[in-house]
Amino acid sequence: MISKIVLMIISLLLVQPVLATEINGQTSENTTTDAHYQKMILHYVNDYRAKHHLSPLKLLNPISQEAAKHSQDMANKTIAFGHQHFETRIKHLYKEIKDCRAGAENVAYYKLDAKKLVDAWVASPGHRRNIEGHYNVTGIGIAHGKKGWAYYTQIFLRTDDKRYAG
């Protein structure tokens, strides 16, 4: 399965990998399913982190909203697939979530379930580095393109804000 994955790694401020695949599978078509996929992605990422003695990431709505905007822009083809304007997303989040020290991002377009998406990210050194990073909060945004592909953005942040630090 992994041999069918095409990896594109883009570096901006930090390592921010990009993943694209042509593997057939299921996509969600409504927000209820997207909310479920978001929770499942978080579950599998945190399960992986726990197996590697890392603390779980907390899902924050402001980060998910920023991630969803980026996913929607990619799905609508208003920006290229990748990490364009990552610095802008991080600046917005740093204003909203105090005491941030670091950030990274994984993006993907996929036709797979949440488990297979996270497995593919973990199989990629750059994606895995972000998942294993010294982050404590995250956001996950999902949007759908016209051809049925789901676009995913996961943003990782490290904050010392006592509301989220753990």
Side-chain angles (χ1 to χ4, degrees), residues 5-27:
I5 296 173
V6 177
L7 295 174
M8 299 165 29
I9 299 177
I10 297 173
S11 294
L12 293 173
L13 296 174
L14 300 169
V15 175
Q16 302 147 18
V18 178
L19 176 68
T21 103
E22 297 182 354
I23 302 172
N24 291 324
Q26 297 178 345
T27 61

Short mmCIF file of all heavy atoms in Angstrom, two decimals, residues 5-27:
data_model
loop_
_atom_site.label_atom_id
_atom_site.label_comp_id
_atom_site.label_asym_id
_atom_site.label_seq_id
_atom_site.Cartn_x
_atom_site.Cartn_y
_atom_site.Cartn_z
N ILE A 5 2.08 5.37 -2.59
CA ILE A 5 1.98 6.75 -2.11
C ILE A 5 3.05 7.61 -2.78
O ILE A 5 4.20 7.25 -2.86
CB ILE A 5 2.15 6.80 -0.58
CG1 ILE A 5 0.98 6.05 0.06
CG2 ILE A 5 2.19 8.23 -0.08
CD1 ILE A 5 1.13 5.90 1.54
N VAL A 6 2.63 8.75 -3.23
CA VAL A 6 3.55 9.72 -3.82
C VAL A 6 3.78 10.79 -2.76
O VAL A 6 2.86 11.42 -2.30
CB VAL A 6 2.94 10.36 -5.09
CG1 VAL A 6 3.88 11.41 -5.64
CG2 VAL A 6 2.65 9.29 -6.12
N LEU A 7 5.02 10.97 -2.34
CA LEU A 7 5.33 11.95 -1.31
C LEU A 7 5.96 13.19 -1.93
O LEU A 7 6.82 13.09 -2.79
CB LEU A 7 6.29 11.36 -0.28
CG LEU A 7 5.75 10.20 0.52
CD1 LEU A 7 6.86 9.61 1.39
CD2 LEU A 7 4.60 10.66 1.37
N MET A 8 5.51 14.32 -1.48
CA MET A 8 6.11 15.59 -1.86
C MET A 8 6.41 16.32 -0.56
O MET A 8 5.52 16.60 0.20
CB MET A 8 5.12 16.40 -2.69
CG MET A 8 4.71 15.75 -3.97
SD MET A 8 3.26 16.48 -4.77
CE MET A 8 3.32 18.15 -4.29
N ILE A 9 7.66 16.60 -0.30
CA ILE A 9 8.00 17.28 0.94
C ILE A 9 8.41 18.71 0.62
O ILE A 9 9.27 18.94 -0.21
CB ILE A 9 9.12 16.55 1.70
CG1 ILE A 9 8.63 15.15 2.06
CG2 ILE A 9 9.55 17.32 2.93
CD1 ILE A 9 9.65 14.30 2.74
N ILE A 10 7.75 19.64 1.29
CA ILE A 10 8.01 21.05 1.10
C ILE A 10 8.52 21.63 2.41
O ILE A 10 7.95 21.37 3.45
CB ILE A 10 6.71 21.78 0.67
CG1 ILE A 10 6.23 21.23 -0.66
CG2 ILE A 10 6.93 23.28 0.59
CD1 ILE A 10 4.90 21.75 -1.10
N SER A 11 9.55 22.41 2.36
CA SER A 11 10.05 23.04 3.58
C SER A 11 9.75 24.52 3.53
O SER A 11 10.07 25.19 2.58
CB SER A 11 11.55 22.84 3.72
OG SER A 11 11.83 21.49 3.92
N LEU A 12 9.12 25.01 4.58
CA LEU A 12 8.99 26.44 4.81
C LEU A 12 9.73 26.71 6.10
O LEU A 12 10.84 26.24 6.27
CB LEU A 12 7.51 26.85 4.85
CG LEU A 12 6.79 26.69 3.51
CD1 LEU A 12 5.30 26.95 3.65
CD2 LEU A 12 7.37 27.61 2.48
N LEU A 13 9.18 27.37 7.03
CA LEU A 13 9.90 27.67 8.27
C LEU A 13 10.36 26.42 8.98
O LEU A 13 11.45 26.37 9.54
CB LEU A 13 9.00 28.48 9.21
CG LEU A 13 8.60 29.85 8.71
CD1 LEU A 13 7.60 30.48 9.65
CD2 LEU A 13 9.82 30.72 8.55
N LEU A 14 9.51 25.42 9.02
CA LEU A 14 9.84 24.14 9.64
C LEU A 14 9.64 23.06 8.60
O LEU A 14 9.16 23.33 7.51
CB LEU A 14 8.91 23.88 10.83
CG LEU A 14 8.97 24.92 11.95
CD1 LEU A 14 7.83 24.68 12.92
CD2 LEU A 14 10.30 24.83 12.67
N VAL A 15 9.92 21.83 8.93
CA VAL A 15 9.62 20.74 8.02
C VAL A 15 8.11 20.60 7.99
O VAL A 15 7.48 20.40 9.02
CB VAL A 15 10.26 19.42 8.47
CG1 VAL A 15 9.83 18.28 7.59
CG2 VAL A 15 11.77 19.55 8.47
N GLN A 16 7.52 20.74 6.81
CA GLN A 16 6.08 20.66 6.67
C GLN A 16 5.78 19.77 5.48
O GLN A 16 5.66 20.22 4.36
CB GLN A 16 5.49 22.05 6.44
CG GLN A 16 5.82 23.00 7.53
CD GLN A 16 5.98 24.39 6.99
OE1 GLN A 16 5.54 24.70 5.90
NE2 GLN A 16 6.61 25.23 7.75
N PRO A 17 5.67 18.47 5.70
CA PRO A 17 5.52 17.56 4.58
C PRO A 17 4.14 17.62 3.93
O PRO A 17 3.18 18.03 4.53
CB PRO A 17 5.76 16.18 5.20
CG PRO A 17 5.68 16.37 6.64
CD PRO A 17 5.82 17.82 6.96
N VAL A 18 4.12 17.17 2.70
CA VAL A 18 2.91 17.10 1.92
C VAL A 18 2.75 15.67 1.46
O VAL A 18 3.72 15.03 1.09
CB VAL A 18 3.01 18.01 0.68
CG1 VAL A 18 1.78 17.91 -0.18
CG2 VAL A 18 3.28 19.43 1.09
N LEU A 19 1.53 15.16 1.47
CA LEU A 19 1.29 13.79 1.06
C LEU A 19 0.15 13.75 0.06
O LEU A 19 -0.87 14.37 0.26
CB LEU A 19 0.92 12.96 2.30
CG LEU A 19 0.56 11.52 2.08
CD1 LEU A 19 1.79 10.74 1.63
CD2 LEU A 19 0.03 10.94 3.36
N ALA A 20 0.34 13.03 -1.03
CA ALA A 20 -0.73 12.84 -2.01
C ALA A 20 -0.78 11.37 -2.35
O ALA A 20 0.24 10.70 -2.36
CB ALA A 20 -0.44 13.65 -3.27
N THR A 21 -1.97 10.82 -2.60
CA THR A 21 -2.07 9.43 -2.97
C THR A 21 -3.13 9.23 -4.04
O THR A 21 -3.97 10.08 -4.26
CB THR A 21 -2.42 8.50 -1.78
OG1 THR A 21 -3.77 8.15 -1.84
CG2 THR A 21 -2.14 9.12 -0.47
N GLU A 22 -3.08 8.08 -4.63
CA GLU A 22 -4.08 7.69 -5.60
C GLU A 22 -4.69 6.35 -5.21
O GLU A 22 -5.07 5.57 -6.05
CB GLU A 22 -3.46 7.60 -6.99
CG GLU A 22 -2.94 8.92 -7.50
CD GLU A 22 -2.38 8.80 -8.89
OE1 GLU A 22 -2.29 7.69 -9.41
OE2 GLU A 22 -2.03 9.84 -9.46
N ILE A 23 -4.80 6.10 -3.94
CA ILE A 23 -5.38 4.85 -3.45
C ILE A 23 -6.88 5.04 -3.28
O ILE A 23 -7.32 6.02 -2.73
CB ILE A 23 -4.74 4.44 -2.11
CG1 ILE A 23 -3.23 4.31 -2.27
CG2 ILE A 23 -5.34 3.16 -1.59
CD1 ILE A 23 -2.48 4.12 -0.98
N ASN A 24 -7.66 4.09 -3.77
CA ASN A 24 -9.11 4.21 -3.64
C ASN A 24 -9.55 3.92 -2.22
O ASN A 24 -8.98 3.12 -1.53
CB ASN A 24 -9.82 3.24 -4.59
CG ASN A 24 -9.65 3.64 -6.02
OD1 ASN A 24 -9.63 4.82 -6.33
ND2 ASN A 24 -9.51 2.67 -6.91
N GLY A 25 -10.61 4.57 -1.82
CA GLY A 25 -11.15 4.39 -0.48
C GLY A 25 -12.35 5.27 -0.30
O GLY A 25 -12.96 5.71 -1.25
N GLN A 26 -12.67 5.54 0.93
CA GLN A 26 -13.87 6.30 1.23
C GLN A 26 -13.51 7.73 1.59
O GLN A 26 -12.47 8.01 2.15
CB GLN A 26 -14.62 5.67 2.39
CG GLN A 26 -15.10 4.28 2.11
CD GLN A 26 -15.79 3.68 3.32
OE1 GLN A 26 -15.68 4.16 4.43
NE2 GLN A 26 -16.53 2.62 3.08
N THR A 27 -14.43 8.66 1.27
CA THR A 27 -14.32 10.04 1.72
C THR A 27 -15.63 10.42 2.38
O THR A 27 -16.67 9.81 2.14
CB THR A 27 -14.07 11.01 0.54
OG1 THR A 27 -15.16 10.93 -0.36
CG2 THR A 27 -12.78 10.70 -0.16
#
